Amino acid sequence: MSDRLAVLPQYLLPKQLLTTLAGKVARAQLGGLTTALIRRFVARYQVNMAEAANPDPASYKSFNEFFTRPLRDDARPLAEADFLCPVDGAISQFGPIECDQIFQAKGHSYATAALLGGDQELAAQFENGHFATIYLSPRDYHRIHMPCDGQLRRMIHIPGALFSVNPTTARGVPGLFARNERVVCLFDTAAGPFALVLVGATIVGSMATVWHGVVNPPRPGVVREWRYDGENRITLKKGEEMGRFLLGSTVVLLWPKNTLAFNPQWVAAKPVRLGEALGQRLPQA
């Protein structure tokens, strides 16, 4: 079966309704039922609870509390690199942005401006730059950390669809990551501007950042933006948590032209872990 045929049912499913219902279940505190759900999930997806700060499934009051569980302090040592991998997951794609086009999968690319909510001026900062797309599977740790030091400038919540973001869907749905709901976080760094985009998906109940809390819901259906200047200044260190998914999804990272050289060991579909080397900063002329 072709990937396009495989994803056809997703066009017909009531994705928003399913996501709303899943969010309610994930937030519910149902005692033994919650514990049974967590245990089944751990077994189904082979979640390594030995890495968790609290390895006891029965101790989590809700599925969301389990899903966003912190790791042990020693579980993810940070590499000696200018840019770190911000999540556990698998590399979907990475490499150069061709003018304004980001490679999604064979036969599919999408515009940087589309990913960033149609902001052409913002997208121009990343023209001919670099990108990395990392998919977080259900078994992965779902907190997101900073790949480098950064000062937060803007956060933009962009409404959109809620397709799955698994590899089959990435191959079958054109412009997937620029169609789905997403939260764009924009930072100033020593290497220039940097964008970290949290992409929503079917059954992703919400996305949250450490400075704002839960961003969605609400889902008002319009673009919302927050700016962080003056007294609202927020600075995060490399390796520090910046956000989380309440149920899994994908992150897209953007850098300007001539910013970094990717880790030569990176290849598409390779599993990666938070804190490993993503790349090194290129010398500036």
Side-chain angles (χ1 to χ4, degrees):
M1 181 185 297
S2 73
D3 293 322
R4 292 204 175 192
L5 285 176
V7 301
L8 183 60
Q10 292 193 47
Y11 286 90
L12 306 176
L13 287 171
K15 296 181 285 295
Q16 183 75 53
L17 176 60
L18 289 174
T19 299
T20 299
L21 292 175
K24 290 182 178 180
V25 171
R27 290 190 299 271
Q29 298 182 16
L30 302 174
L33 288 176
T34 294
T35 300
L37 175 62
I38 292 171
R39 291 188 188 280
R40 181 166 183 174
F41 187 93
V42 169
R44 169 68 177 81
Y45 292 105
Q46 299 181 329
V47 178
N48 184 3
M49 292 301 291
E51 296 181 328
N54 183 353
D56 180 12
S59 67
Y60 295 98
K61 296 179 181 179
S62 70
F63 187 84
N64 270 348
E65 186 177 296
F66 153 73
F67 200 79
T68 59
R69 64 197 175 279
L71 299 179
R72 296 192 329 260
D73 290 340
D74 62 349
R76 296 293 184 273
L78 303 184
E80 293 291 333
D82 294 330
F83 299 99
L84 302 178
C85 182
V87 293
D88 284 7
I91 301 166
S92 177
Q93 299 292 341
F94 71 102
I97 300 171
E98 302 289 350
C99 190
D100 68 339
Q101 293 294 302
I102 300 172
F103 182 66
Q104 176 176 303
K106 185 177 180 180
H108 297 308
S109 295
Y110 59 94
T112 311
L115 177 69
L116 301 176
D119 189 328
Q120 296 288 348
E121 183 177 350
L122 175 58
Q125 298 181 48
F126 303 103
E127 187 170 317
N128 293 311
H130 318 270
F131 82 96
T133 304
I134 305 173
Y135 166 66
L136 288 72
S137 73
R139 68 174 293 176
D140 289 319
Y141 170 65
H142 275 78
R143 297 192 183 197
I144 307 150
H145 294 246
M146 291 293 290
C148 59
D149 294 352
Q151 183 176 328
L152 180 66
R153 290 300 188 189
R154 298 164 65 188
M155 181 175 73
I156 309 167
H157 173 235
I158 304 168
L162 289 168
F163 286 98
S164 170
V165 290
N166 62 33
T168 298
T169 311
R171 294 190 299 268
V173 176
L176 173 64
F177 304 121
R179 296 175 69 164
N180 271 15
E181 179 181 30
R182 52 211 180 275
V183 175
V184 178
C185 303
L186 299 160
F187 297 89
D188 283 342
T189 76
F194 163 66
L196 179 49
V197 183
L198 286 62
V199 182
T202 310
I203 310 181
V204 176
S206 61
M207 295 173 275
T209 63
V210 296
W211 59 84
H212 182 91
V214 173
V215 179
N216 61 316
R219 291 184 169 95
V222 297
V223 174
R224 296 180 292 156
E225 179 173 347
W226 297 261
R227 292 182 179 264
Y228 301 91
D229 298 307
E231 294 182 359
N232 294 324
R233 182 173 298 180
I234 296 170
T235 301
L236 298 174
K237 295 294 185 181
K238 179 165 61 176
E240 190 174 351
E241 181 186 346
M242 61 77 58
R244 62 188 69 176
F245 289 112
L246 291 100
L247 299 182
S249 195
T250 286
V251 294
V252 182
L253 299 88
L254 305 178
W255 293 270
K257 183 179 180 180
N258 296 329
T259 298
L260 82 160
F262 283 104
N263 184 340
Q265 296 182 351
W266 271 36
V267 292
K270 178 184 177 182
V272 289
R273 301 183 89 187
L274 164 68
E276 71 174 54
L278 182 151
Q280 294 293 133
R281 184 178 175 186
L282 291 176
Q284 301 300 301

